Amino acid sequence: MIRLIMLIVAATILLAQPARAQTWLKAESEHFIAYSDGGEGALRAFVTKLERFDQILRLRFGIPADRPTLRKLPIYLVSRHDGLEAVAPGIGRGVAGFYTTNEEDIFAVAIRNDGDQTILHEYAHHFFFQHLNAPYPGWLTEGLAEYVMTARIRDDEFILGEPNAARVSWLNYGAWIPLDSLLSQRFGQVESGEYRATYYPVAWLLTHWFFASPERSQQLDRYLGLVASGVGPSEAITQATGLTMTQLTQTLTAYGRGNVYSQTFPIAYRPIDVTVTRMPESARDLILIGQRIKRPLTEEQRAEALEDVRRRAARWPNDPFALLVLGHAELHMGDAAVGEATLLKVLELAPETDEALQYLATQRVRQAEETEDADQKRSLLGQARGFLSRAYRIDPDDYFTLLLIAETREGQAGYPNENDMLTWEAAFDGAPQLSAVRLGYGRALIATGRLPEAFAVLTPLANSPHGGDAADAARALIAEARGEAPPPAEAAPEEPVDQAG
């Protein structure tokens, strides 16, 4: 009896304690690295779905199945909205996931079982930037992602073109953005209001209409060729389709009222290998906040994040993962000397940690930019290159290492030489999604007189619906290279996150 009472008391105490966070798992496949604090079976199924989606895009858009991707896309899967908040404070309650790019990382975060369409939408952007480098206008960039994100993936076939309920609701009840505005403006240029809300739905419908038949797909190709040759977007679509803007609007309206059909394609999927490992226990405390400090934060958010990292990392004084996050936070938000010492300790414990070397290199570059002493500047840049040389030996394909190597050469004697161009090309192959890579490579191509290649690199960024200041810079570079006046800057777009349907 006493033993039974003791067991009941022990069980009551355990139930009263807060649940311990689940250990994070890491699943790696050919094109993805997914992290999750959920179950292994669901994680494997999710990564398998992503790999099948990659195969679908390759088949549908003519990308060779064996064309390699130099960098796998990291995706962080969380159980609830507060997981998104842990990485992106203040993110909207209706958002189920997002994709973000910056110099330090390119990654996505999504709520498990809720953010799948968001991830497929954003991976479509990631994929098209990686493999097509097509200078698509803004409406088609978003329309294509919308078109493929609802893919239904079956064992021996896939279905494209099914509608997203939220987008269809806007088509049925919202005020459609005029087609001439859709064709001529990126999302960031559209003024707030219902026209902004129907940008994505109408872009999806127009894309769907073009892809619905081989004849109209050829018309889309003609339209893109006309736009590339300098024909205005409204005139180009009229020439390509034989329809006036009024007729095309009427056609789309009728198409959206009952003629929107999905298409089924057969496919034989290639084998998919998914390897699952356990993350260190410290990941429970630090994996999400480690991604937060890679994103733009307000001063208040930076201070909060730093204190949070310090408190969490204190639980893991000799853990390389925890120390890496702490060193990064201290270096960029707190005590730089402590950050350097912490990152050097990481390299003692785990010498192959290239991120620690990259962060140390960025600190030397920052110090070089702040000094006016020429000798000191050379010394600091030399130290940065030393760190980067070690990082390059660890992973010669890491885009961040390559970008930093190329950037430390800008403004130096003989820049850009052949080796500089090879470095920029390798960085571009690894991260064509990154604005800093496109701008740096574009400037180097212009400097060497390779203008057609420069325009091919810069135009997709110039047309990016969420390009912001970087898109303005790309348009200015193109105009300058052509001897034209720079175009006016656009208003900053909203945070580039998309709601899942």
Side-chain angles (χ1 to χ4, degrees), residues 20 28 48 118 133 155 161-162 174 179 211 240 282 289 293 299 314 351 356 377 391:
R20 187 169 178 81
E28 189 163 359
T48 298
T118 298
N133 193 37
D155 288 340
E162 293 191 338
L179 285 187
F211 274 90
S282 57
I289 197 170
I293 62 177
E299 285 302 314
K377 185 184 294 289

Side-chain angles (χ1 to χ4, degrees), residues 26-35 47 51 68-76 99 105-108 123 126 130 273-275 395 397-399 429-431 433:
K26 174 184 177 181
E28 189 163 359
S29 61
E30 186 177 2
H31 303 103
F32 302 93
I33 302 175
Y35 302 88
V47 174
E51 285 291 352
T69 299
L70 294 183
R71 183 181 186 273
K72 300 177 182 183
L73 177 65
I75 300 174
Y76 297 79
Y99 169 88
D105 207 352
I106 299 170
F107 65 95
Y123 183 66
H126 184 91
Q130 193 85 41
D273 182 35
V274 181
T275 302
D395 184 357
D397 293 325
D398 189 298
Y399 80 87
D429 288 342
Q433 304 85 357

Side-chain angles (χ1 to χ4, degrees), residues 322-454:
L323 291 172
L324 178 66
V325 177
L326 176 63
H328 183 204
E330 291 285 3
L331 198 67
H332 292 169
M333 302 177 184
D335 188 324
V338 171
E340 284 198 34
T342 304
L343 292 171
L344 290 172
K345 184 176 180 179
V346 172
L347 293 171
E348 291 176 6
L349 296 170
E352 299 297 295
T353 309
D354 57 347
E355 283 181 277
L357 293 162
Q358 292 166 342
Y359 297 149
L360 289 166
T362 61
Q363 176 66 4
R364 291 293 180 269
V365 171
R366 186 178 297 107
Q367 292 169 331
E369 291 173 346
E370 293 172 352
T371 184
E372 296 182 1
D373 185 296
D375 291 336
Q376 187 178 18
K377 185 184 294 289
R378 279 193 294 271
S379 174
L380 290 167
L381 288 176
Q383 293 174 50
R385 294 190 191 103
F387 289 128
L388 294 172
S389 178
R390 291 171 60 186
Y392 181 82
R393 287 195 294 272
I394 294 169
D395 184 357
D397 293 325
D398 189 298
Y399 80 87
F400 190 27
T401 298
L402 295 164
L403 171 62
L404 291 171
I405 291 172
E407 288 182 335
T408 60
R409 279 283 301 150
E410 289 183 307
Q412 303 299 305
Y415 177 86
N417 59 30
E418 182 179 357
N419 190 62
D420 296 325
M421 299 308 298
L422 290 173
T423 303
W424 275 121
E425 183 179 355
F428 180 74
D429 288 342
Q433 304 85 357
L434 195 61
S435 300
V437 170
R438 284 186 179 268
L439 290 173
Y441 190 25
R443 284 192 297 266
L445 288 166
I446 290 171
T448 54
R450 295 160 60 179
L451 296 188
E453 293 173 76

Side-chain angles (χ1 to χ4, degrees), residues 24 35-38 42 46 49 75-87 91-99 108-120 288 498-501:
W24 279 77
Y35 302 88
S36 174
D37 60 353
F46 179 78
K49 177 179 180 178
I75 300 174
Y76 297 79
L77 299 173
V78 298
S79 59
R80 297 182 302 275
H81 186 270
D82 58 3
L84 299 183
E85 283 265 6
V87 182
I91 196 167
R93 293 298 304 180
V95 175
F98 65 90
Y99 169 88
V109 186
I111 300 174
R112 290 193 299 275
N113 304 317
D114 190 19
D116 285 15
Q117 283 196 8
T118 298
I119 291 300
L120 297 187
L288 295 180
D498 295 302
Q499 294 188 20

Side-chain angles (χ1 to χ4, degrees), residues 6-20:
M6 291 177 65
L7 288 173
I8 293 172
V9 170
T12 303
I13 292 173
L14 286 173
L15 289 172
Q17 292 176 343
R20 187 169 178 81

Side-chain angles (χ1 to χ4, degrees), residues 250-273:
Q250 293 170 343
T251 299
L252 281 182
T253 302
Y255 184 73
R257 285 176 178 166
N259 296 315
V260 178
Y261 300 108
S262 56
Q263 294 177 291
T264 301
F265 303 87
I267 187 171
Y269 293 106
R270 293 182 292 110
I272 297 168
D273 182 35

